[in-house]
């Protein structure tokens, strides 16, 4: 992405929309890493009255869109991509979504629209960890065959190992030349790298104890 | 009135490419002039109102003033969360337009009766309600919202209204109640939108009331009422909306929030009774069923 932490509102910047707004912590960490917000600001995450809310807020430098209710981010990204196309601007728009989020019908309105209007400057990424709030995606509301579904909606689809940065980077590079809107289906494992957290719905809700936290850090290092 | 809306959009789009119109696959024989003149500023997004509202937010976030247009409840209730979260909360310049406010589509049944729209749209902080009662008020409302783009709801009647005002209205005057008839009575009728048409049709029967129209109102506009409230002992509100949670409730809340008038102003709300829900007929028939017409017995 073409972004500059010194010019967060530059009209030529690429746009990133976190549609799965509950992944705020990951975005704040990235913004800090890229220089948009200070490292010390991260300590305010989740604090009472803090702008660093547990769902991303557009009031934070570098965040384009407040999300929290699923199914909104893709349409917002479509609006931005459409603006770019209408004004012949070169910026691209990226939207990170969850798999469970695809239950929301509004997404499919956006998928249809983006393909119909050939928004080749739009890339969606689906964090496909196969888990939802109560059970697996498969048990809740099947979305397979997802690749074929999205292709039939008129999108270019690339499926990658979501934990393989080389595969991800190659996919993004390939999609720069896409003539259609594109989606990267990133197969992931929730809690990847921490053996007692991997693939468990309960960790969507639970905070680790002190000893679990230390054990997790050990495994990740 | 829909043609005046389109003509005003055309007038302003001729001067600025920031104006955009999105429709939800509706507007036949109305929107074509705008589409033909400004094809790049027009989009039919299809029967997909949630997508329409948030696309509008995305466009507005990049600097456009977007009008989203559909019938009755489609551009409001169908995408209520999108208006709440994506448009109003982000304070984006999107004007939600609903054609057929009130019971203009009376024959088409409950799905097309926009009689709870005030209740919904006025609950979002920062959203201005624009409910013009005739063509003159609409022209002024359009000038007002285009000069100060912000989250807003424009309620248009389906049926061409009778002209009430003679002279053009200054858009800046819309932030205060607009005088229709003033004889220094101690009681006043406040109305908006289709309510103005109802009041105007029975004006001769309500000589003991001064009459005001309020085409611009909402959560942020309460202070515009205070001077008027201090001048009257009795206020009656009239609207073509359910009596619950609509225009009258906004007036009542405004009275209740003002220490100077809370205990000195008596307020009565005349709005549609819920027995009208599910009934079909023309607007005037449904006004009778909903017990907002005739007005005279209600004002005794």
């Amino acid at each position: 992405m073409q972004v500059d932490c010194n010019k967060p509102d530059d009209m030529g910047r690429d746009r990133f929309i976190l549609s799965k707004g509950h992944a705020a912590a990951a975005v704040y960490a990235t913004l800090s890493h890229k220089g948009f917000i200070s490292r010390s600001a991260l300590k305010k995450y989740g604090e009472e009255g803090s702008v660093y809310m547990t769902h991303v807020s557009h009031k934070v430098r570098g965040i384009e869109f407040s999300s929290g209710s699923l199914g909104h981010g893709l349409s917002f990204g479509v609006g931005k991509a459409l603006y770019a196309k209408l004004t012949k601007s070169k910026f691209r728009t990226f939207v990170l979504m969850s798999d469970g989020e695809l239950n929301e019908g509004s997404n499919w309105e956006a998928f249809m629209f983006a393909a119909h209007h050939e928004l080749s400057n739009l890339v969606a990424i689906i964090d496909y960890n196969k888990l939802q709030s109560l059970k697996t995606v498969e048990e809740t509301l099947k979305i397979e065959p997802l690749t074929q579904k999205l292709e039939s909606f008129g999108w270019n689809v690339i499926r990658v190992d979501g934990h393989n940065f080389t595969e991800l980077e190659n996919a993004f590079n390939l999609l720069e030349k896409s003539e259609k809107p594109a989606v990267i289906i990133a197969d992931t494992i929730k809690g990847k790298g921490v053996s007692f957290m991997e693939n468990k719905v309960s960790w969507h809700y639970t905070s680790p104890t002190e000893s679990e936290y230390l054990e997790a850090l050990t495994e990740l290092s | 009135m829909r043609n005046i809306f389109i003509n005003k959009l055309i007038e302003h789009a001729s001067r600025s490419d920031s104006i955009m119109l999105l429709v939800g696959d509706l507007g036949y024989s109305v929107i074509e002039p705008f589409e033909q003149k400004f094809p790049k500023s027009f989009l039919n997004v299809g029967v997909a109102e949630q997508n329409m509202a948030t696309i509008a937010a995305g466009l507005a976030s990049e600097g456009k003033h977007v009008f989203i247009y559909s019938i009755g409840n489609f551009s409001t209730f169908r995408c209520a969360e999108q208006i709440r979260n994506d448009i109003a909360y982000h304070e984006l310049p999107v004007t939600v337009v609903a054609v057929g406010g009130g019971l203009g589509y009376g024959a088409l049944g409950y799905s097309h009766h926009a009689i709870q729209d005030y209740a919904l749209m006025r609950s979002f902080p920062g959203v201005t309600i624009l409910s013009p009662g005739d063509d003159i008020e609409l022209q002024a409302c359009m000038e007002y919202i285009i000069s100060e783009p912000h989250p807003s709801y424009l309620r248009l009647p389906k049926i061409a209204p009778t002209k009430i005002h003679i002279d053009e209205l200054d858009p800046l005057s819309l932030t205060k109640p607009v005088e229709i008839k003033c004889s220094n009575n101690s009681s006043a009728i406040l109305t908006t939108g289709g309510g103005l048409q109802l009041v105007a049709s029975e004006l001769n029967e309500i000589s003991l009331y001064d009459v005001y129209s309020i085409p611009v109102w909402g959560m942020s506009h309460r202070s515009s009422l205070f001077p008027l409230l201090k001048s009257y002992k009795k206020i009656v509100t009239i609207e073509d909306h359910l009596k619950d949670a609509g225009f009258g409730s906004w007036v009542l809340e405004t009275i209740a929030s003002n220490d100077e008038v809370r205990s000195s102003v008596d307020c009565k709300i005349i709005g549609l009774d819920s027995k009208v829900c599910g009934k079909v007929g023309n607007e005037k028939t449904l006004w009778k069923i909903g017990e907002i017409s005739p007005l005279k017995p209600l004002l005794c």
Side-chain angles (χ1 to χ4, degrees):
Chain A
M1 279 183 61
Q2 303 298 318
V3 291
D4 182 346
C5 63
N6 295 311
K7 293 184 261 180
D9 299 322
D10 186 89
M11 286 302 284
R13 73 190 188 279
D14 286 335
R15 275 62 162 169
F16 172 76
I17 312 294
L18 181 68
S19 192
K20 50 174 288 185
H22 51 277
V27 172
Y28 296 146
T30 307
L31 287 174
S32 172
H33 181 71
K34 294 291 283 182
F36 282 84
I37 59 177
S38 66
R39 196 160 171 84
S40 61
L42 298 178
K43 292 189 177 128
K44 298 194 174 70
Y45 171 70
E47 280 187 356
E48 296 217 335
S50 169
V51 71
Y52 301 101
M53 308 171 200
T54 52
H55 291 98
V56 288
S57 166
H58 66 286
K59 293 169 189 179
V60 170
R61 184 182 163 90
I63 302 271
E64 304 273 355
F65 180 63
S66 287
S67 51
S69 178
L70 298 174
H72 291 238
L74 184 60
S75 293
F76 193 76
V78 164
K80 285 188 170 295
L82 185 64
Y83 173 86
K85 184 171 180 177
L86 289 171
T87 55
K88 296 183 171 44
S89 302
K90 290 190 167 43
F91 72 81
R92 299 171 77 210
T93 301
F94 300 86
V95 182
L96 178 57
M97 311 170 70
S98 81
D99 47 12
E101 178 173 17
L102 296 177
N103 296 167
E104 289 282 5
S106 52
N107 292 307
W108 300 94
E109 294 175 18
F111 282 128
M112 277 195 285
F113 183 97
H116 180 87
H117 291 277
E118 298 175 338
L119 297 179
S120 56
N121 55 359
L122 177 65
V123 178
I125 307 101
I126 297 171
D127 177 8
Y128 198 9
N129 61 29
K130 321 294 186 306
L131 295 180
Q132 299 196 209
S133 288
L134 299 179
K135 291 188 177 176
T136 65
V137 169
E138 178 73 9
E139 290 168 308
T140 307
L141 199 60
K142 290 181 177 49
I143 54 175
E144 288 292 353
L146 186 56
T147 299
Q148 291 87 324
K149 267 197 180 75
L150 292 167
E151 284 175 340
S152 74
F153 269 68
W155 285 56
N156 272 337
V157 183
I158 298 182
R159 194 150 177 171
V160 302
D161 171 359
H163 299 287
N164 185 317
F165 293 132
T166 304
E167 281 191 35
L168 279 166
E169 189 170 357
N170 288 344
F172 282 118
N173 288 338
L174 198 64
L175 291 173
E176 277 187 24
K177 296 182 175 47
S178 176
E179 291 177 354
K180 302 181 197 180
V183 55
I184 298 173
I185 300 175
D187 286 297
T188 57
I189 297 170
K190 194 178 190 67
K192 167 87 172 168
V194 180
S195 59
F196 58 90
M197 288 183 174
E198 285 192 2
N199 267 327
K200 293 200 172 77
V201 169
S202 60
W203 284 105
H204 196 72
Y205 305 100
T206 317
S207 294
T209 62
E210 181 74 22
S211 62
E212 285 171 335
Y213 167 65
L214 292 170
E215 190 181 338
L217 284 182
T218 303
E219 288 195 26
L220 286 170
S221 61
Chain B
M1 238 186 185
R2 289 173 285 180
N3 293 327
I4 289 177
F5 163 71
I6 286 294
N7 289 338
K8 271 291 172 188
L9 274 191
I10 289 172
E11 178 191 325
H12 283 277
S14 305
R15 297 184 215 138
S16 166
D17 63 4
S18 68
I19 301 272
M20 285 196 73
L21 174 63
L22 272 51
V23 304
D25 202 34
L26 284 167
Y28 183 74
S29 81
V30 174
I31 53 87
E32 290 84 350
F34 185 92
E35 181 187 11
Q36 280 153 18
K37 282 193 166 68
F38 307 104
K40 288 187 179 167
S41 298
F42 173 84
L43 263 173
N44 178 0
V45 301
V47 190
E49 293 81 9
Q50 293 178 21
N51 193 38
M52 177 169 70
T54 308
I55 286 177
L59 288 164
S61 74
E62 298 289 346
K64 296 291 188 184
H65 178 187
V66 188
F67 290 76
I68 61 173
Y69 174 107
S70 190
I71 277 180
N73 304 305
F74 307 151
S75 49
T76 53
F77 279 93
R78 193 62 182 250
C79 48
E81 193 184 65
Q82 282 75 10
I83 295 169
R84 177 185 185 273
N85 292 4
D86 307 338
I87 294 171
Y89 181 56
H90 287 78
E91 298 174 80
L92 290 169
V94 176
T95 301
V96 177
V97 184
V99 176
L103 294 160
Y105 285 101
L108 299 185
Y110 186 57
S111 58
H112 286 61
H113 296 173
I115 53 176
Q116 295 116 321
D117 53 333
Y118 291 155
L120 175 69
M121 296 304 290
R122 77 180 189 89
S123 73
F124 304 137
V127 174
T128 292
I129 312 294
L130 306 157
S131 42
D134 77 347
D135 292 352
I136 299 285
E137 289 190 1
L138 172 59
Q139 284 169 352
C141 282
M142 290 295 286
E143 290 295 333
Y144 165 81
I145 197 59
I146 290 174
S147 67
E148 287 189 34
H150 62 275
S152 40
Y153 170 53
L154 175 61
R155 189 204 220 220
L156 301 178
K158 173 184 180 286
I159 299 158
T162 304
K163 203 168 173 183
I164 309 295
H165 300 283
I166 298 168
D167 299 322
E168 274 187 14
L169 286 174
D170 177 0
L172 292 175
S173 72
L174 298 183
T175 53
K176 292 179 283 206
V178 180
E179 192 181 299
I180 303 295
K181 177 172 83 74
C182 186
S183 308
N184 295 318
N185 287 301
S186 61
S187 304
I189 285 171
L190 306 184
T191 188
T192 191
L196 177 60
Q197 291 291 311
L198 169 59
V199 169
S201 69
E202 300 187 29
L203 209 54
N204 293 334
E205 311 287 338
I206 46 180
S207 58
L208 296 178
Y209 289 82
D210 290 348
V211 177
Y212 295 86
S213 173
I214 304 183
V216 175
W217 55 286
M219 205 185 286
S220 310
H221 297 269
R222 291 195 195 285
S223 59
S224 67
L225 265 191
F226 293 154
L228 182 148
L229 292 174
K230 290 176 194 168
S231 307
Y232 292 95
K233 291 202 172 81
K234 180 174 175 181
I235 299 285
V236 176
T237 67
I238 296 174
E239 61 195 291
D240 59 340
H241 180 280
L242 288 186
K243 64 168 78 104
D244 291 82
F247 172 72
S249 296
W250 172 77
V251 172
L252 203 56
E253 289 159 21
T254 304
I255 292 169
S257 68
N258 187 300
D259 290 341
E260 289 182 61
V261 302
R262 189 184 307 128
S263 52
S264 61
V265 175
D266 175 39
C267 181
K268 174 175 177 167
I269 297 175
I270 294 176
L272 291 164
D273 190 281
S274 62
K275 67 173 67 162
V276 77
C277 297
K279 301 289 191 289
V280 291
N282 67 40
E283 188 175 55
K284 289 188 167 53
T285 299
L286 292 175
W287 283 352
K288 289 193 173 79
I289 293 173
E291 297 176 357
I292 61 171
S293 176
L295 282 174
K296 191 175 176 185
L298 300 171
L299 295 171
C300 292

